Amino acid sequence: MLKKIIKGGHKKPSKSDGHDHGFGPPGSGPASNVVVNHASRPSHAPEGPHNGTMVVAPPPMNSIEILPHFRDVPVSERQHLFLRKLQVCCFQLDFSDTLRSVREKEIKRQTLLELVDFIQSGSGKITETCQDGMIRMISVNIFRCLPPAAYENTGQEVSDPEEEEPYLEPSWPHLQLVYELLLRYVVSSDTDTKVAKRYIDHCFVLKLLDLFDSEDPREREYLKTILHRIYGKFMVHRPFIRKAINNIFYRFVYETERHSGIGELLEILGSIINGFALPMKEEHKLFLVRALIPLHKPKPVSIYHQQLSYCIVQFVEKDYKLADTVIRGLLKFWPLTNCQKEVLYLGELEEVLEATQSAEFQRCIVPLFRQIARCLTSSHFQLIGSLEGI
């Protein structure tokens, strides 16, 4: 008996302990929402992405309070009900056991669905207090320590990311609704950017960027869409977002060579580069030289090469004078023993050359043809086939 007690007291925490999400198809579940309170859990204010007066903290869990639907209360009471529903969604539930807290998980899922519908329906502008509380609730749910990657758990040598099974967040059915709520808030025409930037601030954006390292592709897809919308709507954040993405690339290229969201970040940048005004700022040219071109160096370049190539070609199409810089950059990081990577490089080189004018081509013709000559000596059939396009 003593051994059982000791063993139970040292239970290893699961990957999703402390994250509040649930499972179930939209539209199912109880007709009303309830708040579940336990006196044994101390009430505390969750950390938000900013300083503010509004604090949305989970109430002590010792009672059950039935919350009505928005449609069942007068319009004048809906803002207050909105805050109470946010409190429900601040609860942290354990998803390591699918049979644990099933009712509470369904209650929270239904509440999140109602919050999303309320924002999406445009029933009325929510107050600043409600916006503050909503961003705090979103922060409580999505900002968390990501589980270690598979290679970090085993200590084995990093394998090909394409061959690894992606980790799927068990709390995703709830997490998805939280992301959907944030997306609806960002894109809503009722959202005043002058007010919203107090809550979606630099700290919030940095934490969003940290989540791009999530192994769950569904989460990265939501993050990509949300960050792109934030970039488009909050002009004041644009330089900061570009610099923060820069820093992620630097760390990936020169330190870790391991990050799950490089492809998604490059997709965002592809749209951003497409909108650059001419003449191009020096800041953008430095970004090309210092961040984008070195992204050809890491071993897992094949994972994100399509998005990287698109960004590179966009630069050349915007400013043809950058062709020489790009071609020489490709030659600098040209793989010596990896034929698969050489095939990728040749495909990218072909697209760059199509956008290159004669004067720029003449500048790099000698080192370019030296590299092509080395490729011609290869016995790899795919490499020889790729050279036909050039």
Side-chain angles (χ1 to χ4, degrees):
M1 178 62 72
L2 181 60
K3 290 183 178 179
K4 289 183 179 180
I5 294 174
I6 294 174
K7 185 177 181 181
H10 291 80
K11 182 182 177 183
K12 183 179 180 181
S14 68
K15 289 183 177 179
S16 54
D17 278 350
H19 310 314
D20 190 359
H21 315 287
F23 182 82
S28 64
S32 62
N33 298 330
V34 298
V35 180
V36 183
N37 303 322
H38 292 312
S40 60
R41 178 175 296 176
S43 176
H44 60 87
E47 291 186 9
H50 59 282
N51 293 322
T53 56
M54 176 60 198
V55 175
V56 177
M61 301 179 70
N62 59 1
S63 63
I64 296 178
E65 179 186 2
I66 299 176
L67 295 179
H69 294 291
F70 285 112
R71 63 177 179 268
D72 297 331
V73 300
V75 175
S76 59
E77 296 180 15
R78 289 179 181 174
Q79 299 286 334
H80 178 64
L81 180 60
F82 188 87
L83 285 172
R84 294 172 67 191
K85 289 181 183 290
L86 290 176
Q87 290 180 327
V88 172
C89 298
C90 282
F91 286 115
Q92 305 297 301
L93 301 173
D94 180 10
F95 282 84
S96 60
D97 184 354
T98 56
L99 300 179
R100 185 175 179 181
S101 305
V102 175
R103 183 168 178 267
E104 289 80 0
K105 290 173 184 175
E106 179 61 19
I107 288 166
K108 180 177 176 180
R109 192 186 68 84
Q110 287 292 329
T111 306
L112 284 168
L113 279 169
E114 284 199 60
L115 291 172
V116 171
D117 289 342
F118 185 79
I119 295 295
Q120 191 168 6
S121 65
S123 303
K125 287 187 177 182
I126 61 173
T127 64
E128 289 189 38
T129 300
C130 287
Q131 290 181 63
D132 188 0
M134 181 175 64
I135 296 300
R136 288 178 182 274
M137 182 279 288
I138 290 170
S139 300
V140 165
N141 282 275
I142 67 174
F143 297 145
R144 65 206 191 279
C145 291
L146 296 173
Y151 74 96
E152 292 175 344
N153 281 332
T154 61
Q156 296 176 354
E157 185 178 349
V158 179
S159 59
D160 186 350
E162 288 184 318
E163 297 179 358
E164 295 177 5
E165 286 294 328
Y167 168 78
L168 298 180
E169 173 61 54
S171 59
W172 178 247
H174 277 190
L175 197 60
Q176 178 184 13
L177 293 174
V178 178
Y179 277 122
E180 188 65 29
L181 178 64
L182 175 58
L183 178 60
R184 293 300 115 204
Y185 171 68
V186 170
V187 303
S188 174
S189 58
D190 292 327
T191 300
D192 185 348
T193 54
K194 292 181 180 179
V195 175
K197 71 180 182 181
R198 301 173 191 169
Y199 313 114
I200 299 181
D201 56 12
H202 285 180
C203 181
F204 187 87
V205 169
L206 274 180
K207 290 181 178 179
L208 277 182
L209 284 166
D210 286 341
L211 291 172
F212 271 87
D213 202 17
S214 169
E215 287 192 271
D216 194 323
R218 303 168 299 180
E219 182 168 15
R220 297 198 305 271
E221 190 66 25
Y222 257 104
L223 287 164
K224 179 186 71 177
T225 304
I226 290 168
L227 187 66
H228 194 190
R229 294 298 185 132
I230 289 174
Y231 187 91
K233 191 161 189 171
F234 296 82
M235 294 185 67
V236 68
H237 290 337
R238 289 183 180 181
F240 178 81
I241 291 174
R242 291 197 301 268
K243 184 177 180 181
I245 293 176
N246 255 6
N247 292 336
I248 291 175
F249 288 167
Y250 292 154
R251 187 167 185 268
F252 171 71
V253 171
Y254 299 109
E255 295 181 23
T256 65
E257 287 201 359
R258 191 74 189 194
H259 195 286
S260 300
I262 299 299
E264 285 80 7
L265 291 171
L266 285 169
E267 284 188 50
I268 297 172
L269 286 169
S271 297
I272 293 173
I273 295 166
N274 189 260
F276 282 167
L278 296 175
M280 197 175 293
K281 294 180 180 179
E282 192 65 24
E283 167 204 343
H284 303 327
K285 295 178 183 179
L286 288 174
F287 168 70
L288 169 67
V289 173
R290 295 178 179 177
L292 279 187
I293 292 177
L295 277 173
H296 290 85
K297 177 185 176 183
K299 291 180 181 179
V301 63
S302 60
I303 304 298
Y304 55 81
H305 182 265
Q306 182 179 352
Q307 297 93 326
L308 175 60
S309 179
Y310 177 79
C311 290
I312 295 289
V313 174
Q314 286 284 303
F315 266 100
V316 179
E317 290 180 348
K318 280 278 181 181
D319 186 351
Y320 68 89
K321 293 182 180 179
L322 293 172
D324 177 53
T325 300
V326 167
I327 292 172
R328 289 180 182 275
L330 278 171
L331 297 177
K332 177 182 178 181
F333 294 106
W334 200 275
L336 299 177
T337 58
N338 191 323
C339 291
Q340 282 76 22
K341 284 180 69 173
E342 285 193 272
V343 170
L344 294 177
Y345 280 40
L346 286 170
E348 181 179 351
L349 182 60
E350 181 181 356
E351 292 187 58
V352 171
L353 288 174
E354 287 178 2
T356 302
Q357 296 191 7
S358 178
E360 303 305 315
F361 179 70
Q362 291 296 327
R363 292 183 182 180
C364 59
I365 190 170
V366 174
L368 174 61
F369 275 88
R370 283 176 180 167
Q371 182 58 58
I372 291 175
R374 282 192 287 269
C375 291
L376 285 170
T377 62
S378 172
S379 59
H380 197 281
F381 72 96
Q382 286 183 328
L383 195 58
I384 300 300
S386 299
L387 286 167
E388 294 177 359
I390 298 178

